[in-house]
Amino acid sequence: MTDTLLLERERGLLTLRLNRPEKKNALTRAMYSQLAQALAMADADPQISAVLICGSHDCFTAGNDIVDFLEQPPADLDNPVFEFMLSLLDCRKPVIAAVAGPAVGIGTTLLLHCDLIYVSRDARLRTPFVSLGLCPEFGSSLILPRLLGQARAAQLLLLGEGLSGEQAAAWGIATEALDSGEAALAKARDVALRFESLPAEAVRISKQLMKAPDREQLRAVIEEEGWLFTQRLRSPEAVAALSGFINRH
Ligand code: COA
């Protein structure tokens, strides 16, 4: 069996590479657990100065595995997805993301918790929660309206309209858009390695200060969204929409 999450260490940089190309890097429960463990490990290891999350050159991730959603819908917040969310939220090291191709659902919302995000111009970010009978998660119902204003956030969260990498950079969701997936990954890696030569304690305190004002509210919203999301997963609307994707051929 191939590893669906590859951990690569390069000096002080830990790269977490999603590696399930045959399923567009859709995230399984096992992958969430591995991501959570890797983030906690990076957080605790003084030799690690930054974490890079990436997929392949043409696909970041198709989001949560839809078969898992149907077959093992979480009943409460004691589950690997929530564990992953908290580990990203609590990670004190800089987390950098490199995005190419589709970044669907949590593939987009996880970016809202990364510190620096490099995307290919033609990346496709999408949060189709409503059309799947679901609701926003991972704090996106708080962060996106704040970042974009209600009008643009509604385009993404209510209509599920996608946006390109170029637009994501223009709207402040991404740091920079680059010409290709390879270029986005190379830039993300260069930036991530720069943290090796920056004073670690100053980086930690600065990130903490940047995150502190919203931390408690964000945590409460993530929990509230999480409860509603788990209920939605069992709703006839969601079961029909998710089954529709699985049976589309
Ligand atoms: N969960 C489980 N399997 C998924 C998946 C997901 N989220 N996304 C894609 N796959 C699987 C497909 O079922 C297909 O498997 P198969 O070859 O065994 O039939 C394979 O990955 C390739 O997907 P396909 O749709 O053929 O690729 P594409 O390049 O045409 O489209 C996406 C890529 C990401 C745009 C499209 O797969 C998609 O929209 N996926 C669903 C995204 C989603 O709604 N996620 C949940 C958000 S909450």
Side-chain angles (χ1 to χ4, degrees):
M1 212 171 88
T2 56
D3 288 336
T4 48
L5 180 73
L6 302 177
L7 270 55
E8 297 162 2
R9 190 69 193 267
E10 182 184 8
R11 309 199 314 254
L13 172 61
L14 178 68
T15 297
L16 310 181
R17 190 182 298 275
L18 308 175
N19 183 42
R20 201 181 169 218
E22 72 287 1
K23 294 289 178 188
K24 300 288 167 185
N25 294 330
L27 295 163
T28 59
R29 291 164 60 89
M31 289 163 80
Y32 285 117
S33 289
Q34 290 165 351
L35 281 164
Q37 280 166 23
L39 285 164
M41 185 264 281
D43 191 55
D45 184 344
Q47 303 300 319
I48 294 178
S49 49
V51 179
L52 171 60
I53 302 179
C54 64
S56 37
H57 286 319
D58 60 356
C59 180
F60 186 57
T61 169
N64 202 105
D65 187 281
I66 290 180
V67 178
D68 269 9
F69 265 164
L70 283 166
E71 291 181 355
Q72 310 184 63
D76 54 34
L77 301 186
D78 185 14
N79 65 69
V81 183
F82 202 64
E83 192 194 341
F84 161 66
M85 290 180 179
L86 294 186
S87 67
L88 184 54
L89 207 62
D90 290 341
C91 186
R92 292 166 298 176
K93 305 278 169 71
V95 181
I96 295 96
V99 178
V104 191
I106 197 164
T108 288
T109 59
L110 77 81
L111 303 177
L112 306 173
H113 304 277
C114 294
D115 299 295
L116 291 147
I117 302 105
Y118 297 94
V119 295
S120 64
R121 282 187 211 294
D122 60 359
R124 291 299 300 165
L125 281 66
R126 210 156 54 87
T127 48
F129 300 120
V130 165
S131 50
L132 291 173
L134 301 170
C135 65
E137 36 75 318
F138 212 171
S140 54
S141 65
L142 176 71
I143 300 174
L144 284 175
R146 269 195 193 165
L147 182 65
L148 307 177
Q150 187 71 24
R152 281 178 171 167
Q155 242 179 299
L156 305 190
L157 291 179
L158 297 185
L159 295 177
E161 285 183 8
L163 77 170
S164 66
E166 180 137 43
Q167 209 172 4
W171 286 7
I173 294 176
T175 307
E176 187 181 340
L178 294 111
D179 284 336
S180 64
E182 285 86 347
L185 185 59
K187 177 74 191 243
R189 177 182 161 274
D190 280 356
V191 168
L193 283 169
R194 269 164 52 189
F195 283 100
E196 269 186 329
S197 49
L198 289 169
E201 197 55 11
V203 170
R204 188 185 64 74
I205 291 170
S206 302
K207 174 165 175 169
Q208 183 191 327
L209 284 167
M210 290 165 73
K211 299 279 183 186
D214 295 332
R215 177 175 294 277
E216 290 315 310
Q217 190 186 10
L218 190 52
R219 207 172 261 267
V221 169
I222 291 173
E223 251 185 56
E224 191 189 353
E225 290 171 341
W227 282 113
L228 292 167
F229 197 96
T230 54
Q231 289 168 22
R232 287 268 87 214
L233 276 173
R234 291 173 167 71
S235 68
E237 287 177 346
V239 171
L242 296 168
S243 309
F245 176 78
I246 297 299
N247 302 320
R248 69 200 186 288
H249 295 308

